[in-house]
């Protein structure tokens, strides 16, 4: 079940992640307050083609593949709810939600910089779990979370 009324920080506190920098991101897009709902989700591995120099499929190709199976990209709240329900999955593969985009900003001696980022969950064999942000690029080592049976 997904509680769309919880904030990103409330989900992070609920799960007690070991680390990650997702709290540093402001204003996640793609999230509506819809109360508690049951959703069907699935992981779509990022596909590659070619042997010597693998080519990773584009975001548009992933969205087309999801749409063909009546799925849409999960948002940040759906990703964090997935992490609550299936904590072991993020130890096996890095999971990204393409349905939300946030802004990560930082300041240094050169001034302030901002980047568009996506939410992701990751972990390791020691049992560590992290809620992080990632850049816009897709990598073969990642899987994408989708909400399915949408019309």
């Amino acid at each position: 079940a997904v509680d769309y009324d919880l904030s990103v920080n409330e989900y992070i506190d609920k799960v007690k992640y070991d680390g990650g920098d997702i709290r540093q991101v402001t204003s996640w897009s793609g999230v509506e307050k819809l109360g508690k709902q049951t959703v069907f989700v699935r992981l779509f591995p990022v596909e590659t083609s070619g042997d010597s120099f693998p080519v990773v499929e584009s975001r548009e190709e992933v969205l087309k593949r999801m749409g063909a199976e009546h799925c849409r990209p999960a948002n940040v709240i759906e990703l964090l709810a997935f992490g609550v329900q299936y904590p072991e999955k993020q130890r096996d593969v890095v999971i990204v939600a393409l349905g939300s985009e946030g802004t990560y900003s930082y300041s240094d001696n050169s001034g302030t910089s901002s980047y568009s980022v996506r939410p992701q969950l990751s972990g390791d064999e020691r049992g560590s779990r992290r809620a992080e942000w990632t850049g816009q690029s897709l990598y073969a080592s990642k899987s994408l979370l989708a909400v399915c049976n949408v019309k």
Side-chain angles (χ1 to χ4, degrees), residues 42-124:
R42 88 170 254 217
L43 292 173
F44 280 79
V46 175
E47 294 185 351
T48 59
S49 60
D51 294 328
S52 300
F53 299 100
V55 176
V56 177
E57 68 184 331
S58 70
R59 183 175 187 273
E60 291 73 25
E61 290 168 322
V62 172
L63 295 176
K64 185 176 179 181
R65 196 162 43 103
M66 284 181 182
E69 297 192 36
H70 305 287
C71 299
R72 65 163 174 78
N75 65 39
V76 64
I77 296 299
E78 293 158 343
L79 177 73
L80 293 171
F82 180 83
V84 169
Q85 184 134 12
Y86 303 102
E88 71 287 348
K89 288 288 185 191
Q90 72 187 79
R91 292 183 186 118
D92 299 332
V93 66
V94 176
I95 305 167
V96 179
L98 291 179
S100 286
E101 188 171 319
T103 303
Y104 172 73
S105 300
Y106 73 93
S107 298
D108 61 16
N109 294 340
S110 326
T112 301
S113 298
S114 297
Y115 298 96
S116 291
V117 296
R118 303 276 177 196
Q120 78 176 20
L121 298 178
S122 65
D124 60 33

Side-chain angles (χ1 to χ4, degrees), residues 6-50:
L6 289 180
S7 70
V8 169
N9 286 339
E10 288 170 319
Y11 260 112
I12 299 286
D13 291 341
K14 185 176 185 175
V15 175
K16 297 181 177 42
Y17 283 99
D18 301 316
D21 48 17
I22 201 168
R23 287 184 195 264
Q24 298 170 353
V25 176
T26 57
S27 64
W28 288 107
S29 67
V31 179
E32 295 180 50
K33 301 285 186 185
L34 302 170
K36 289 184 182 179
Q37 294 190 18
T38 300
V39 297
F40 174 74
V41 296
R42 88 170 254 217
L43 292 173
F44 280 79
V46 175
E47 294 185 351
T48 59
S49 60

